[in-house]
């Protein structure tokens, strides 16, 4: 018999996302990371899910969080920030824990510089949401809940 999926979702944010609200608002909008956390908690609570919310500017902290999530959460909504375009280690961690990950980018990375068009995370992500602003996190949570119900 399969084990019950935990009713908990990890929302993970990478480097510079602590600056949301003041960082390039023409690209990332005016909402702060605290606003994003509130949006995520509300979206998850409606379906009976709790949210664990973490932001770090350090790749190793993000790696440890992904490892620790194994068996503890239904999946991860992950905005890896610039590590998206550089980190084989984060991609390997996602493959290693075998949790569904929804990759989220606030901006439409494909309309931006060429170096943002490649993602090491996309090949190991269950789903990808780009250019939906901070609503992308809500869509990511809805998608993970949908996947957990399958
Ligand atoms: C981002 C896009 C990345 O290219 C960038 O480095 C970020 C934010 C986004 O949410 O649009 O830090 O992940």
């Amino acid at each position: 018999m399969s084990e019950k999926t935990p009713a908990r979702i990890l929302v993970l944010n990478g480097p510079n996302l602590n600056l949301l609200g003041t960082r390039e608002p023409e690209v990332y909008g005016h909402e702060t990371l605290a606003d994003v956390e509130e949006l995520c908690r509300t979206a998850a609570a409606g379906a009976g899910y709790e949210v664990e919310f973490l932001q770090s500017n350090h790749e190793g902290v993000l790696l440890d969080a992904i490892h620790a999530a194994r068996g503890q959460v239904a999946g991860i909504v992950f905005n890896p920030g610039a590590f998206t375009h550089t980190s084989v280690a984060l991609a390997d961690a996602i493959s290693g824990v075998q949790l569904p990950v929804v990759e989220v980018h606030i901006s439409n990375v494909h309309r931006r510089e060429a170096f943002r068009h490649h993602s090491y995370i996309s090949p190991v992500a269950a789903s990808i949401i780009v250019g939906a602003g901070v609503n992308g996190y809500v869509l990511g949570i809805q998608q993970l809940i949908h996947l957990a119900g399958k």
Side-chain angles (χ1 to χ4, degrees):
M1 223 174 96
S2 67
E3 282 178 28
K4 202 171 173 291
T5 309
R8 181 177 266 269
I9 287 168
L10 174 62
V11 179
L12 201 53
N13 280 285
N16 299 309
L17 290 160
N18 53 312
L19 300 179
L20 269 187
T22 57
R23 171 195 187 198
E24 301 177 80
E26 66 288 358
V27 177
Y28 298 113
H30 292 278
E31 289 96 343
T32 65
L33 196 62
D35 294 332
V36 171
E37 180 170 356
E38 186 60 36
L39 276 175
C40 289
R41 291 197 189 282
T42 304
Y49 278 75
E50 279 180 18
V51 164
E52 211 174 299
F53 198 89
L54 180 77
Q55 185 276 332
S56 179
N57 294 320
H58 304 278
E59 192 173 9
V61 173
L62 298 169
L63 288 167
D64 289 344
I66 293 168
H67 296 173
R70 187 179 210 162
Q72 304 301 310
V73 302
I76 306 174
V77 173
F78 191 18
N79 184 346
F83 289 149
T84 306
H85 319 299
T86 62
S87 182
V88 175
L90 287 170
D92 282 351
I94 292 167
S95 300
V97 298
Q98 292 184 311
L99 283 170
V101 169
V102 179
E103 177 184 355
V104 170
H105 299 288
I106 297 167
S107 65
N108 180 352
V109 285
H110 298 290
R111 260 169 50 174
R112 301 181 64 195
E113 303 96 321
F115 67 82
R116 296 187 203 276
H117 298 177
H118 177 262
S119 167
Y120 282 101
I121 307 305
S122 295
V124 295
S127 315
I128 304 159
I129 298 165
V130 301
V134 296
N135 192 48
Y137 292 88
V138 173
L139 297 172
I141 284 175
Q142 289 170 347
Q143 175 63 3
L144 280 183
I145 292 169
H146 170 74
L147 292 173
K150 278 189 168 176

